[in-house]
Amino acid sequence: MTVSGSRRRFFASQNYRKLRAECRRKKSLFVDVAFPPTNQSLFLDTQRNSDIVWKRPWEISEDPHLFVEGASANDVTQGILGNCWFVSACSALTHNEAMLAKVIPDAEDQEWAPDRPYAGIFRFCFWRFGEWIEVVIDDLLPTKNGKLLFARSKTPNEFWSALLEKAFAKLYGCYENLVGGQLADALQDVSAGVAETINVSKFLGFEADATVSDHDGRLFQTLKQAFEHQALIVAAIAAKNKEDIEKSLDCGLVKGHAYAVTAVRFVDLDAKHGSYRFFSTVERQMMIRLQNPWGEKEWNGPWSDDSAEWEQVGDVQKKEMGITVDEDGEFWMPWDEFVRHFTDISVCQLFNTSMFSLHKRFHESVFFDEWTTNGVKSGAPGDRAGGCLNFSATFCCNPQYRFDVQKGDGGEVMVALTQKEVCEGSKVREPYVTIGMHVMKVENNRRHRIHQAVTPVATSDYAGSRSVYLHLTNLEPGRYVLIPTTFAPREQTHYMLRVFSPHHTNPKLLKKDAPAQGFFKCSQATNVTKISVVDAKLVFPREMCAYCVVVSEKEKSRTRSTDKAREWSWHEDFVFHRKTQRQTYVVELWEARHLKDRLVGRATLNALIDNDRRTVELDLQANGSKQRIGKITVEISTYDDPMYI
């Protein structure tokens, strides 16, 4: 099923407006029975002893507010909970006001105000599996010695981050379930974007024939462009073992820890040459700014807050960049040091799908489906849980989606595959199934499911995570089949598939194995033929743009148009299902012209079903005569099983 837009539902069936109205009518403060201020909401083990005291904001600070002078990265400081993955995502969120307004809807209406009766109830929204979930909480927060234990703002009377964290804990079942999570999941939860995790070392060593500096610059430009398009970005230094988690390095950075990226830019070294700078080209330094969710422990290497390198930058530019020497957890790093220390970067892209936008627009298609055995044996008709390409006998049983790339489109397609959270709101966290995707180029006219895998043009990483992402670039024009899979056969779960592209690709779920035939289309085809148009040449060559058309009964399919040439090559495939044993096809050569295309000649192909593949040269005859004017080379395969290919 394809959907557009995003739905919204109430978590635990709690309606914020109704609950607030009831509290105001009773002149009482809301206490959330679905997430009570007890050990049940804090720990997995509810019998655990605890001296934590739950307090409302006005009991913690005078004159409490949701926001004080808007939102900034310093508003989100991590407490004693090991949830830097979530805190960093919230810190990154502060750089996108529109998205923050979706996560905290009607913030002004929720704010403390003397003209509104206070009810102690708040609501926040998180994005899950194609819909925004509204989570209601009370304002009772965990404290010790009168101070907040978990997320908090550096401004003592600002509480949006602490309340948002509580709503997130409710979604995950309890606070303890927030310890150690995936950066990409948190970014997706607060944005509805498409999250991708980039392994820095893998990216920089991607192509053997390119230098590290080539990829270094490409990665910098990728992040810079993404940040400018409002992407949420978080970087981390992976820990190799449990002992390394949150271990401080000599350079001030912390292992097993996540940092929000708050700026990616070039810095002009406009003060480097003093009064002689007018006679030299201004050097530029690639820089990145990060925020430690602890609110302290900053980078102390080159270009740290008070290092001598900043003397190369003029005062005007430093003021514009907001350079300070405060120990606030936010710091600049030179790009070369960043890629030397950080191992993973999670980028959450927010694709603009608005029809009325002046900025670059993406077309989005969304499918909800499932991997299921449908109660049949592995590989039997109806099985839709075939596993990855390693399991060749059942691979093609998986759900399949076709999409098209037209000439001139640029061949860019982004695909995000997300599996459904099994136990949303429960303390029991079921492990994710390992998932991934394959993309295969198929026959230009394919309208039915494939039954034999072809070599993929692209394969995503396989991961036991909520989402995997595949960014396809420079795809050749033609038709493709996208196959989302679990790693192993017979693993069953629901998934959501999102396809984005700057151009229409018309994704469609392939449901049928073969077409119906006959007068009333009441019977299946009995055989299948695959024809590949290889090349063509004329006896008396002349330069022209050309394409071929393959005619089978009432069906016509064509190749792409070539550039001007004297001989033409395509290597494009077409598939035909028939009931007749003897099959006749006509292959036509056309000249592509500006006003009206011209038929140059045609060749006839008579094929018998021989369950084999062969290459044949066909005589090309002039239109309207039997004069031989050239040759067309085709490859043909015919099979008596309509679901062979």
Side-chain angles (χ1 to χ4, degrees):
M1 178 180 69
T2 306
V3 300
S4 59
S6 293
R7 302 165 290 178
R8 177 175 291 196
R9 65 177 170 89
F10 300 126
F11 183 78
S13 300
Q14 291 177 304
N15 187 306
Y16 166 77
R17 296 195 181 279
K18 288 182 179 179
L19 290 170
R20 184 178 66 170
E22 184 180 354
C23 289
R24 286 177 174 177
R25 182 176 57 83
K26 292 180 178 180
K27 296 182 179 180
S28 63
L29 295 178
F30 178 63
V31 178
D32 186 7
V33 295
F35 198 66
T38 65
N39 280 2
Q40 178 184 328
S41 302
L42 288 170
F43 308 117
L44 293 170
D45 178 11
T46 58
Q47 303 303 313
R48 180 174 169 180
N49 291 326
S50 169
D51 56 356
I52 292 174
V53 178
W54 296 79
K55 291 190 175 184
R56 297 186 187 269
W58 53 268
E59 297 177 296
I60 302 170
S61 175
E62 294 182 7
D63 191 29
H65 288 278
L66 198 60
F67 291 98
V68 176
E69 297 181 356
S72 70
N74 283 327
D75 294 348
V76 198
T77 303
Q78 185 182 349
I80 65 170
L81 202 62
N83 65 337
C84 62
W85 60 289
F86 169 70
V87 176
S88 295
C90 292
S91 185
L93 182 65
T94 62
H95 294 272
N96 190 317
E97 292 183 8
M99 195 53 63
L100 184 65
K102 282 191 174 184
V103 175
I104 310 177
D106 303 322
E108 188 174 344
D109 182 58
Q110 298 196 69
E111 187 64 85
W112 279 264
D115 59 338
R116 284 195 299 269
Y118 182 69
I121 184 171
F122 290 88
R123 64 169 174 159
F124 300 91
C125 291
F126 303 103
W127 189 86
R128 281 288 181 87
F129 207 66
E131 61 185 358
W132 285 94
I133 302 173
E134 183 173 295
V135 180
V136 172
I137 59 166
D138 59 36
D139 65 348
L140 287 156
L141 297 168
T143 70
K144 194 170 185 178
N145 299 323
K147 295 183 179 180
L148 290 172
L149 276 176
F150 306 140
R152 58 193 178 276
S153 171
K154 283 189 175 293
T155 305
N157 64 331
E158 185 175 49
F159 287 91
W160 72 266
S161 58
L163 293 166
L164 178 64
E165 181 187 55
K166 180 174 182 178
F168 201 63
K170 181 177 179 178
L171 186 68
Y172 273 75
C174 66
Y175 276 93
E176 190 175 347
N177 266 339
L178 299 188
V179 176
Q182 297 295 319
L183 293 173
D185 290 351
L187 290 170
Q188 203 170 57
D189 284 339
V190 299
S191 71
V194 174
E196 173 188 17
T197 299
I198 300 170
N199 181 283
V200 175
S201 60
K202 184 178 178 181
F203 188 99
L204 296 184
F206 186 72
E207 292 174 5
D209 60 346
T211 65
V212 170
S213 60
D214 290 336
H215 289 294
D216 202 349
R218 187 160 67 88
L219 181 57
F220 176 80
Q221 290 291 356
T222 297
L223 290 195
K224 182 174 180 293
Q225 186 178 33
F227 190 84
E228 290 168 354
H229 286 85
Q230 303 292 298
L232 309 183
I233 308 174
V234 176
I237 303 174
K240 293 182 179 178
N241 50 58
K242 289 184 178 180
E243 290 71 26
D244 278 352
I245 294 176
E246 297 190 347
K247 178 182 177 181
S248 295
L249 303 174
D250 292 339
C251 63
L253 300 175
V254 182
K255 278 189 173 184
H257 193 53
Y259 296 74
V261 174
T262 60
V264 184
R265 61 170 289 173
F266 286 103
V267 175
D268 293 332
L269 308 186
D270 49 6
K272 184 174 182 179
H273 299 289
S275 58
Y276 297 102
R277 66 182 182 273
F278 300 108
F279 303 99
S280 61
T281 302
V282 175
E283 295 179 40
R284 306 177 86 194
Q285 174 75 44
M286 294 189 296
M287 299 282 284
I288 187 166
R289 188 176 66 196
L290 299 109
Q291 172 75 34
N292 186 339
W294 290 350
E296 58 183 12
K297 287 191 178 293
E298 300 180 4
W299 162 253
N300 58 32
W303 294 94
S304 54
D305 281 358
D306 55 355
S307 68
E309 283 85 2
W310 287 107
E311 295 176 7
Q312 303 173 63
V313 181
D315 291 339
V316 173
Q317 190 178 186
K318 282 193 284 189
K319 184 178 180 181
E320 180 257 327
M321 294 173 65
I323 302 300
T324 67
V325 293
D326 300 330
E327 179 71 10
D328 57 3
E330 191 168 52
F331 56 89
W332 289 90
M333 281 186 76
W335 180 254
D336 58 339
E337 292 285 356
F338 171 78
V339 296
R340 189 162 72 89
H341 288 89
F342 282 83
T343 59
D344 299 283
I345 307 168
S346 289
V347 182
C348 195
Q349 300 274 8
L350 305 175
F351 293 112
N352 175 28
T353 58
S354 172
M355 293 181 62
F356 307 103
S357 175
L358 298 176
H359 301 287
K360 184 178 180 180
R361 177 179 177 242
F362 290 85
H363 300 276
E364 178 187 17
S365 296
V366 185
F367 301 89
F368 292 93
D369 210 328
E370 63 179 317
W371 293 289
T372 175
T373 63
N374 280 315
V376 300
K377 292 182 178 180
S378 184
D383 179 18
R384 290 293 180 265
C388 72
L389 197 53
N390 292 358
F391 303 91
S392 57
T394 57
F395 170 73
C396 290
C397 293
N398 288 294
Q400 301 179 14
Y401 302 83
R402 81 175 199 209
F403 66 89
D404 296 316
V405 174
Q406 305 297 332
K407 186 177 181 180
D409 282 358
E412 183 180 25
V413 179
M414 287 73 70
V415 189
L417 176 64
T418 302
Q419 59 181 302
K420 191 172 186 179
E421 188 85 9
V422 179
C423 299
E424 188 178 83
S426 169
K427 288 187 179 183
V428 180
R429 312 299 299 169
E430 291 289 340
Y432 288 118
V433 173
T434 300
I435 59 174
M437 295 174 280
H438 299 273
V439 175
M440 301 172 175
K441 195 172 189 302
V442 297
E443 303 87 357
N444 288 0
N445 65 332
R446 177 169 285 278
R447 295 191 295 273
H448 301 87
R449 293 170 53 83
I450 65 171
H451 304 286
Q452 279 195 29
V454 294
T455 302
V457 297
T459 298
S460 75
D461 289 335
Y462 270 77
S465 57
R466 188 193 301 172
S467 297
V468 294
Y469 176 69
L470 185 59
H471 189 172
L472 305 163
T473 57
N474 302 317
L475 290 177
E476 294 180 359
R479 179 157 290 179
Y480 294 82
V481 166
L482 165 67
I483 303 183
T485 85
T486 59
F487 182 80
R490 304 190 72 75
E491 293 183 304
Q492 302 185 93
T493 190
H494 289 79
Y495 67 83
M496 175 180 64
L497 186 72
R498 291 189 285 170
V499 182
F500 298 89
S501 180
H503 301 274
H504 286 291
T505 57
N506 303 310
K508 182 180 180 181
L509 173 66
L510 297 177
K511 296 180 180 180
K512 295 182 178 180
D513 290 307
Q517 299 283 313
F519 187 77
F520 296 104
K521 293 191 174 181
C522 57
S523 60
Q524 287 281 76
T526 58
N527 53 70
V528 62
T529 299
K530 180 176 179 179
I531 295 176
S532 177
V533 179
V534 180
D535 56 37
K537 51 189 174 184
L538 299 178
V539 174
F540 302 104
R542 67 184 187 86
E543 195 172 75
M544 66 181 186
C545 300
Y547 62 89
C548 277
V549 173
V550 182
V551 183
S552 171
E553 296 179 329
K554 295 181 179 180
E555 182 180 355
K556 291 185 178 182
S557 302
R558 59 163 287 179
T559 66
R560 69 185 186 279
S561 295
T562 66
D563 295 328
K564 276 194 173 183
R566 294 178 179 273
E567 295 183 0
W568 309 276
S569 178
W570 292 279
H571 295 277
E572 293 190 35
D573 299 333
F574 305 91
V575 62
F576 303 96
H577 291 83
R578 305 278 286 271
K579 287 193 72 176
T580 56
Q581 294 295 310
R582 178 175 287 277
Q583 304 172 23
T584 300
Y585 301 91
V586 176
V587 185
E588 299 175 339
L589 179 67
W590 287 75
E591 179 183 4
R593 303 197 294 184
H594 290 297
L595 295 178
K596 186 178 181 181
D597 295 349
R598 184 179 73 89
L599 176 60
V600 177
R602 55 167 56 94
T604 301
L605 172 63
N606 294 309
L608 285 174
I609 297 174
D610 53 10
N611 294 309
D612 200 5
R613 179 171 185 166
R614 62 196 183 282
T615 301
V616 295
E617 272 194 346
L618 306 174
D619 287 337
L620 186 65
Q621 296 178 334
N623 184 28
S625 74
K626 294 185 178 181
Q627 178 188 357
R628 178 181 170 278
I629 60 172
K631 287 187 176 293
I632 290 182
T633 305
V634 300
E635 290 180 352
I636 182 168
S637 311
T638 55
Y639 303 98
D640 57 9
D641 180 356
M643 292 186 287
Y644 185 79
I645 56 176

